[in-house]
Amino acid sequence: MSAVLVLVETDGGGATEVSRETLTFVRGLGLDVHALVVGDGPPGLVDQLGAYGVTTVHHADGDAFTSYAAAAWAAAVVAAAGDATVVTAAGTPRGNEVLAHVACRLGVTMAANVVEVESVSPLSVSRQVLGGSALEEMRLEDAVAVFSVAGHACDPAEAESHATPVVHPLDVSVPEADLRARVVRTEPGEPDESGGLKSARVVVGAGRGAGGPDGFADLLELTELLGGSLGVSRVVTSLGWRPHHEQVGQTGSRVAPDLYVACGISGAIQHWAGMSSSKTILAINTDPDAPMVTKAHYAVIGDLHEIVPAVNEELRRRSAG
Amino acid sequence: MSNVLVCIKRVPDLGGEITLTPDGLGVDDSALGHTVSPHEECAVELAIQVAKDTDGQATVLTLGSSDAVEQLRHALALGCTGAVLVEADASAYGPADVAAAIADVVRAHEAAGTTYDLVLLGNDASDTGDFQVGIRLSYLLDRPVVAGVSTLSVDGDRVVARGGAPDGGTEIFEVPLPAVLTVMEGGIEPRYPSIPGRMKAKKVQIEEVAPSGTPAGAGRVRLKLPPVQPSQVEVLGEGPEAAGAVVDLLEKLGVVR
Ligand SMILES: Cc1cc2nc3c(=O)[nH]c(=O)nc-3n(C[C@H](O)[C@H](O)[C@H](O)COP(=O)(O)OP(=O)(O)OC[C@H]3O[C@@H](n4cnc5c(N)ncnc54)[C@H](O)[C@@H]3O)c2cc1C
Ligand SMILES: Nc1ncnc2c1ncn2[C@@H]1O[C@H](COP(=O)(O)O)[C@@H](O)[C@H]1O
C-alpha cells in the first residue's frame, strides 16, 4: 500500500496539537501513515504516534539537525518520503516553509493550508485563501502531492486501532549548502507576549474606536475584570497605539475564545479571519451597520468610552454585593 | 553597498465582505481599492532601510497588470529608487511561475551590471496565500533563504535575520549574501510617504518587462465562500444604560470571575 508521510512537529508533550490534527486528517486518505520526526523527540512520542495510526516513524538525527535549517529538514523529508504519494505537515510557519522546500526539490506543486480533500483520484483539495475568508479548490496532479493541513481543519483523534510503529533511523546526508540558512542563536520570548492571547477564554478586542494610545485604560480594566487578554486591530498596531503581538487577524494572532468583546472594531474580513471562531461575539460600536455588529451574536450601540466604564462599574458593583 | 530587490503584489483591499466574479475564479474587485499585504509593506520598509544604511539601491518589482503601477509608485514615494513591472495577468500565474519571472529579472539586471545582495518578499501573499514564492526563487537562484523574517541587518557579506520561533521566542539566522528573505509583519513600523517623496516618485521611469514563456498556472478550479449567514444579532441596548444587560450576558456565559 502506498503511504502518506507526515512531518511531525513536537513540543515537550509530544506531537503538537496541529500535528495531531494533521495525522487525523490524513488518515482519511486511506493510505499507510508514516511520520518523520527531526531531532530529539520527547519521551513517549512513538507510542503516541502509534495511537494516531502511524505505522512507520522515520527519525532524522545528527549534527545537521541540532539547530533548525529548513533546507536540511526538507532533505530529511525527501529521504523519508521513499515512494510515498502524499507528503504533508501542519500549516504552521515551519510546516509551510519546509514543504515549500520539499516541493522545489521534488519539482512539484505545493498547496498551503488545506482544509478538505474533495476527491482522491484525481486528487483535488480545498485550501484557505484570503487569510481564511475563502476557500480555493485546487487540483494536485503531480506523482507526489505536497500539501499542508490548516490548523483546526479537524479535531485531533486517535485511530480506532492503535499501531505499533516501526522506528526507522534515517541516514540523511545534508550538504553544506543546505545549512547556509540555519538558526545560530535563539532568544526566549516575553512570557505574556501573545501566548496568553491565543489561549485566553475571554478576549477584549479594541479597534480605532479606542481613539488613541490613551484610550485603553477602561478596556484594560475590563480585560482584567474578566481575566482575559487584550487583542487589537491592525489600525491600532500600525498607529503605534499598542504592540504588534496583540494584533488579531490575518497577519496577527488567531484566537478562539469563549467570548470576544469587539470594541470600536469595524469587522474587516482580515480582522474577522482572526476571531471568527469565537464562541460568542459581543460588539460595542457607534455604528449599528458595522459588519462586526451585524455578524455578532450580541451588540451594544454607542460610544465605547461611555459603555465600557459602565460595564466595569456594574461588574465591580455585583462582585462587591 | 547592498542593492535590494523587493517584490510586492497588488491585491484588492477587501472590506467587510467578498464578492466573487461570475465565473467563480476570482474576487470581484471592480468596486474596491487596492493595496499590498502588510508583510510586503514591511519588506519594502526593510529594503529602503538596508539600501540607505549601505548606500545601495532599493528596487521594487511586481508582476501584474498595468494598474499595479499604483503600488509601484507608492513604494517609490516611500524611498525605493527603481521599479520593475512584469506586465502579466497575475491570476494566470502560479507561485512557481511568479518565482521564475522574478528570477528572470534578477538575472537580466545582473547581466546589465546590477546585482541584488538581497531579494525580499512577503512570507505569503494576502490573496492566494501560497507561502512559497520566495523559497522557489531561492532554488532558482541557488541562494540561501530564510522565511518569516521580522527584522534584519546587513553586516559586511552576511545578513543577520530575526524571526519568530515555534515556542514564542526568537530565532536568529546569519546568512551569507546574496540571499532571499521572506518578511512577516511585526518587527518594524512601515513609514508613510512624504510629499517630496511623492513628487520624486512621479518622475521615476518604470521599467516594463514582458514575461518570457507561458505560465503553468495555479491549478485553481474555483473559489468558494462560506455561506452568508443572515444577521442574528441581539442588540442589548444603547449607550451606558445597557451595562446591566451586558453583565447579565457575561454572567450567563460564565465568564465573570
Ligand atoms: C492583507 C491585509 C491584512 C490585514 N490584516 C489585518 C489583521 O491581521 N488584523 C486586523 O485587525 N486588520 C488587518 N487588516 C486591516 C483591515 O483591513 C482593517 O483596516 C482593520 O481591521 C480596521 O481596523 P478597525 O476596525 O480598528 O478600524 P476601522 O475600520 O476604522 O473601524 C473603526 C470602528 O470603530 C467604530 N467606532 C469609532 N469610534 C467609536 C467609539 N467611540 N465607540 C465605539 N465604536 C467606535 C466605528 O464605527 C468603526 O466601526 C489587514 C488588511 C489587509 C489588506
Ligand atoms: N504577482 C506578484 N508580483 C510580485 N511579487 C509577488 C507576486 N506574487 C507573489 N509575490 C511575492 O511572493 C510573496 C509570497 O507569495 P505566495 O507564495 O504566493 O504566498 C508575496 O508576499 C510577494 O512578496
Side-chain angles (χ1 to χ4, degrees), chain A:
Chain A
M1 183 159 72
S2 72
V4 45
L5 176 69
V6 180
L7 169 65
V8 170
E9 292 182 68
T10 60
D11 56 24
T16 59
E17 183 169 2
V18 278
S19 285
R20 286 181 283 118
E21 289 169 4
T22 301
L23 289 166
T24 309
F25 184 92
V26 301
R27 284 206 308 267
L29 294 168
L31 302 171
D32 205 15
V33 181
H34 295 186
L36 167 64
V37 176
V38 179
D40 288 338
L45 178 63
V46 171
D47 289 343
Q48 185 192 35
L49 293 175
Y52 276 83
V54 172
T55 57
T56 302
V57 177
H58 298 280
H59 184 215
D61 211 358
D63 292 347
F65 302 106
T66 50
S67 73
Y68 177 65
W73 282 45
V77 173
V78 171
D83 46 18
T85 51
V86 181
V87 175
T88 64
T92 58
R94 194 164 275 193
N96 281 324
E97 181 183 19
V98 174
L99 289 184
H101 280 266
V102 169
C104 291
R105 284 157 192 258
L106 299 177
V108 300
T109 302
M110 167 203 164
N113 294 322
V114 166
V115 294
E116 219 170 295
V117 172
E118 299 293 339
S119 92
V120 174
S121 172
L123 185 61
S124 157
V125 296
S126 283
R127 65 183 197 94
Q128 294 175 339
V129 293
L130 297 165
S133 308
L135 296 180
E136 172 190 78
E137 199 178 315
M138 177 180 173
R139 285 186 304 267
L140 286 171
E141 293 166 323
D142 298 302
V144 183
V146 175
F147 64 84
S148 68
V149 178
H152 309 304
C154 65
D155 290 328
E158 294 186 0
E160 267 167 35
S161 56
H162 293 196
T164 308
V166 179
V167 178
H168 175 236
L170 269 186
D171 188 14
V172 202
S173 66
V174 178
E176 205 47 43
D178 287 345
L179 297 171
R180 285 178 296 183
R182 181 177 200 181
V183 172
V184 292
R185 221 165 54 245
T186 58
E187 289 170 7
E190 298 289 323
D192 59 335
E193 279 198 7
S194 83
L197 174 59
K198 281 182 193 143
S199 55
R201 271 192 72 208
V202 178
V203 174
V204 175
R208 191 197 296 274
D214 306 327
F216 291 84
D218 299 322
L219 293 158
L220 286 165
E221 187 184 5
L222 177 61
T223 306
E224 178 77 34
L225 286 166
L226 298 177
S229 286
L230 185 73
V232 301
S233 75
R234 179 155 186 268
V235 165
V236 168
T237 56
S238 55
L239 291 173
W241 297 352
R242 300 290 305 177
H244 183 269
H245 67 80
E246 293 179 354
Q247 182 172 315
V248 168
Q250 181 175 348
T251 54
S253 295
R254 315 250 159 164
V255 300
D258 290 343
L259 174 66
Y260 190 83
V261 191
C263 305
I265 300 178
S266 62
I269 66 150
Q270 299 92 351
H271 189 83
W272 187 255
M275 43 61 70
S276 59
S277 312
S278 307
K279 283 208 189 77
T280 301
I281 298 167
L282 164 64
I284 300 179
N285 201 303
T286 42
D287 176 6
D289 298 321
M292 184 60 85
V293 173
T294 58
K295 288 183 180 173
H297 303 97
Y298 301 95
V300 178
I301 308 304
D303 185 345
L304 71 91
H305 294 293
E306 295 173 8
I307 296 163
V308 174
V311 171
N312 292 345
E313 196 184 310
E314 181 66 12
L315 280 167
R316 279 194 306 266
R317 197 185 61 79
R318 291 198 199 178
S319 79

Side-chain angles (χ1 to χ4, degrees), chain B residues 90-141:
Chain B
S91 68
Y93 279 64
D97 303 317
V98 176
I102 299 171
D104 282 345
V105 172
V106 171
R107 291 194 196 105
H109 282 199
E110 202 160 275
T114 305
T115 56
Y116 295 107
D117 291 324
L118 279 177
V119 184
L120 303 184
L121 305 92
N123 185 68
D124 52 286
S126 63
D127 54 352
T128 55
D130 293 305
F131 291 79
Q132 56 191 273
V133 170
I135 292 165
R136 288 193 180 274
L137 178 66
S138 81
Y139 278 79
L140 295 173
L141 298 175

